[in-house]
């Protein structure tokens, strides 16, 4: 069982194409189903620790995996039963079902078990679950102590993360690759903890789960997405090579203060706070805002938008920021003021859902929408939320799975903007800087645990810098 960190994410269509290519290369669908079912059985056997198991099998290949797993668990000596929503329909599922020699209970009358394995529908689900399937699924899920989904919980939209009747599971065993539903809400919540079971289908994708930073030596050995890097000072570093970040302050001073402190704590060598105000930290360099102050060629990133306000004066500050021709992180109010056709290529935009819809509309799933917005603007888009999607104009996407729901507190977005500014000013390209900032932000939140405030989060960035 492999964690999702850095793994490719494939849509149902991409997964089918990868599976077909594997079959053309000589591996039969039965072999793939065998590997899937055996892998699921090994994991379930370990998780069940001797408790009784009921496997719910659907009509397609997800159900086929269930029958294979049931036969394998029986061979392992587990107390396993099968309940089916109907007869197997796909040819491979028919062959798999023939290998299960025990009784098959009707789903509607199935007795509960301590361990529920949900193999009703996988990536092939094409419409919401009918009541006659959803009702017994939920009844059996409520009665079980542990709920394990095969590939995806039955009743989620694999590509868009919609919930179409699924019962919430504790563990999802994803076959070969992550699917968007494992990361995108609300389906991700129905998945519980997601672990991968490899089944020997080579997969490539432009979409990956955001990976943790890996130490230098381990990078080539890990067969995952390019890992993120956190820029670290060397013996010859000085404050400007570590990155100078200018933060444009506006009417709501606290927000830009948070961004400034976050930039410092994320590792910037020099943070220039352009606005009124005084007080600690003493290392923060404060200057009144002027267009001239943004002309300093050493500035490696300008963060504009946190607490900026939306009046004519702040619009001029945004215009001056755009005219400075320095790398930009555009957040908050600046996302409401900006004309999307004037966004300089190479900028990083950090919209939450509302800001994103205002700029780019709402059509399509979150990954597709974000990728399209990046291609349209030439900017890296960090589409925030419990399932933050980061898209580059060239089509690369990473999705951050593990945040912390405690991030849903005022000011945490300002902290993120500052952290990304620090990464960009240190020389990372916009996509890498966005990924590094989002990772630092999530890691700091997880470290803090419950009920922190944005000020704590900014401070905690130092501790997860590594
Ligand atoms: N992609 C791969 O490499 C592999 C995939 N396998 C499994 O195959 C699954 C995909 O299999 P399928 O494409 O057969 O699809 P599913 O098994 O997910 O379900 C498709 C079947 O359910 C029906 N159906 C769809 N929505 C329904 C609804 N709401 N109510 C009632 N019936 C509905 C369809 O008409 C079809 O008969 C994966 O999730 C995975 O578990 C494995 O068997 C092995 C390898
Ligand atoms: N439920 C949640 N789970 C995980 N992360 C969340 C959740 N809610 C918000 N976040 C994260 O918290 C930050 C909030 O940013 P934003 O909405 O701009 O807030 P603010 O403007 O108050 O700073 C974003 O990084 C977002 O991804
Ligand atoms: K399933």
């Amino acid at each position: 069982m492999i964690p999702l960190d850095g793994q490719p994410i494939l849509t149902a269509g991409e997964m089918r194409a990868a599976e077909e290519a594997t079959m053309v290369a000589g591996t039969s669908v039965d072999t793939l189903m065998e590997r899937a079912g055996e892998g699921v059985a090994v994991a379930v056997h370990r998780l069940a620790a001797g408790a009784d198991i009921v496997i719910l099998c659907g009509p397609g290949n997800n159900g086929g995996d269930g029958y294979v797993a049931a036969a394998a668990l029986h061979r392992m000596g587990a107390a396993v039963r099968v309940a089916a929503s109907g007869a197997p329909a796909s040819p491979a599922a028919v062959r798999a079902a023939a290998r299960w020699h025990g009784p098959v209970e009707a789903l509607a009358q199935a007795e509960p078990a301590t361990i529920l394995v949900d193999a009703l529908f996988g990536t092939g689900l094409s419409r919401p679950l009918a009541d006659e399937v959803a009702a017994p699924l939920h009844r059996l899920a409520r009665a079980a102590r542990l709920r394990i989904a095969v590939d995806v919980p039955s009743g989620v939209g694999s590509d868009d993360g919609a919930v179409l009747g699924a019962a919430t599971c504790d563990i999802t065993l994803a076959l070969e690759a992550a699917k968007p539903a494992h990361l995108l809400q609300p389906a991700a919540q129905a998945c519980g903890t997601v672990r991968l079971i490899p089944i020997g289908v080579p997969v490539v994708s432009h979409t990956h789960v955001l990976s943790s930073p890996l130490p230098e030596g381990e990078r080539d050995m890990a067969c995952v997405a390019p890992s993120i890097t956190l820029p670290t000072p060397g013996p010859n570093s000085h404050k400007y090579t570590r990155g100078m970040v200018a933060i444009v302050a506006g009417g709501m001073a606290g927000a830009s203060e948070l961004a400034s402190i976050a930039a410092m704590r994320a590792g910037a060598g020099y943070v220039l706070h352009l606005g009124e105000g005084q007080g600690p930290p003493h290392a923060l360099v404060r200057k009144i805002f002027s267009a001239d102050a943004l002309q300093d060629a050493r500035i490696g990133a300008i963060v504009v938008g946190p607490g900026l306000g939306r009046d004519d004066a702040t619009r001029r500050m945004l215009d001056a920021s755009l005219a400075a021709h320095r790398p930009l992180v555009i957040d908050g109010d600046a996302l409401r003021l900006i004309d999307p056709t004037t966004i300089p290529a190479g900028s990083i935009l950090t919209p939450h859902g509302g800001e994103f819809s205002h700029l780019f509309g709402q059509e399509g799933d979150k990954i597709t929408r974000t990728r399209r917005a990046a291609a349209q603007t030439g900017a890296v888009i960090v589409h925030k939320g419990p399932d933050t999607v980061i898209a580059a104009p060239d089509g690369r996407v990473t999705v951050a799975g593990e945040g912390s729901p405690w991030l849903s507190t005022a000011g945490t977005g300002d902290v993120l903007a500052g952290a990304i500014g620090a990464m960009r000013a240190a020389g990372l390209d916009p996509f890498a800087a966005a990924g590094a900032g989002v990772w630092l932000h999530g890691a700091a939140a997880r470290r803090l645990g419950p009920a922190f405030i944005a000020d704590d989060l900014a401070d905690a960035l130092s501790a997860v810098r590594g």
Side-chain angles (χ1 to χ4, degrees):
M1 288 197 284
I2 303 167
L4 281 195
D5 204 59
Q7 294 290 339
I9 301 173
L10 274 79
T11 62
E14 289 167 341
M15 196 64 219
R16 239 182 339 264
E19 187 190 22
E20 271 156 26
T22 311
M23 293 196 294
V24 168
T27 308
S28 70
V29 64
D30 300 74
T31 302
L32 294 179
M33 194 172 278
E34 181 71 24
R35 290 177 190 160
E38 291 280 342
V40 167
V42 170
V44 170
H45 192 245
R46 223 168 57 213
L47 293 162
D52 62 314
I53 302 160
V54 62
I55 304 192
L56 312 185
C57 295
N61 288 353
N62 194 252
D65 300 340
Y67 288 108
V68 174
L73 280 160
H74 180 71
R75 281 197 307 277
M76 293 172 192
V80 57
R81 294 182 292 115
V82 168
S85 58
S90 80
V94 170
R95 292 191 291 274
R99 295 174 47 194
W100 165 251
H101 301 298
V104 177
E105 299 166 33
L107 182 66
Q109 283 86 44
E111 289 295 319
T114 311
I115 311 293
L116 176 95
V117 177
D118 165 11
L120 286 169
F121 301 104
T123 53
L125 185 92
S126 53
R127 55 192 186 275
L129 292 184
D131 280 351
E132 60 263 31
V133 174
L137 169 63
H138 283 262
R139 172 177 61 80
L140 294 164
R142 272 196 305 276
R145 238 188 23 235
L146 187 71
R147 292 144 283 262
I148 303 169
V150 177
D151 210 13
V152 290
S154 303
V156 300
S158 191
D159 291 354
D160 64 4
V163 169
L164 305 167
T168 296
C169 289
D170 303 290
I171 296 172
T172 292
L173 302 171
L175 300 175
E176 191 61 54
K179 319 293 177 316
H182 297 134
L183 285 304
L184 296 184
Q185 298 297 351
Q189 201 185 356
C191 292
T193 301
V194 184
R195 290 289 179 268
L196 287 189
I197 306 253
I199 57 169
V201 174
V203 290
V204 281
S205 180
H206 284 312
T207 313
H208 287 86
V209 182
L210 182 67
S211 74
S212 314
L214 288 175
E216 285 290 338
E218 285 177 30
R219 230 163 261 154
D220 290 340
M221 290 155 58
C223 90
V224 291
S227 80
I228 59 165
T229 20
L230 299 177
T232 309
N236 296 322
S237 298
H238 57 71
K239 60 192 176 207
Y240 296 118
T241 60
R242 273 184 56 184
M244 179 173 180
V245 184
I247 309 278
V248 177
M252 195 193 281
S256 52
E257 296 277 337
L258 282 169
S260 286
I261 294 165
M264 298 172 88
R265 294 291 185 193
Y270 192 118
V271 178
L272 178 60
H273 188 90
L274 294 172
E276 310 279 343
Q278 52 191 350
H282 304 299
L284 183 59
V285 181
R286 296 171 183 277
K287 267 191 194 168
I288 299 297
F289 177 89
S290 71
D292 277 353
L294 290 172
Q295 294 303 321
D296 188 332
R298 295 170 302 187
I299 292 174
I302 298 172
V303 178
V304 59
L308 188 65
R310 301 183 198 173
D311 57 21
D312 286 346
T314 54
R315 188 179 292 276
R316 283 193 293 278
M317 291 161 91
L318 172 60
D319 289 344
S321 305
L322 295 172
H325 299 296
R326 310 302 309 153
L328 284 168
V329 179
I330 304 173
D331 181 52
D333 289 331
L335 294 167
R336 299 283 181 179
L337 291 173
I338 202 162
D339 167 357
T341 61
T342 65
I343 294 168
S347 300
I348 302 171
L349 272 59
T350 54
H352 58 50
E355 289 155 351
F356 185 94
S357 299
H358 163 78
L359 279 169
F360 305 114
Q362 281 186 306
E363 204 178 311
D365 66 82
K366 188 167 181 179
I367 291 174
T368 305
R369 270 187 287 157
T370 311
R371 181 177 268 135
R372 193 171 49 223
Q376 262 169 24
T377 54
V380 164
I381 312 285
V382 180
H383 189 172
K384 297 182 292 192
D387 45 8
T388 295
V389 176
I390 308 167
D394 64 7
R396 284 172 299 157
V397 165
T398 55
V399 187
E402 282 180 288
S404 157
W406 293 103
L407 278 170
S408 50
T409 180
T412 53
D414 309 320
V415 172
L416 178 67
I420 293 175
M423 297 296 106
R424 183 74 179 106
L428 296 188
D429 67 62
F431 187 59
V438 169
W439 185 85
L440 280 172
H441 190 250
R446 289 190 294 279
R447 187 183 173 95
L448 285 170
F452 57 79
I453 62 169
D455 303 58
D456 304 331
L457 184 68
D459 286 342
L461 290 169
S462 305
V464 294
R465 260 307 324 249

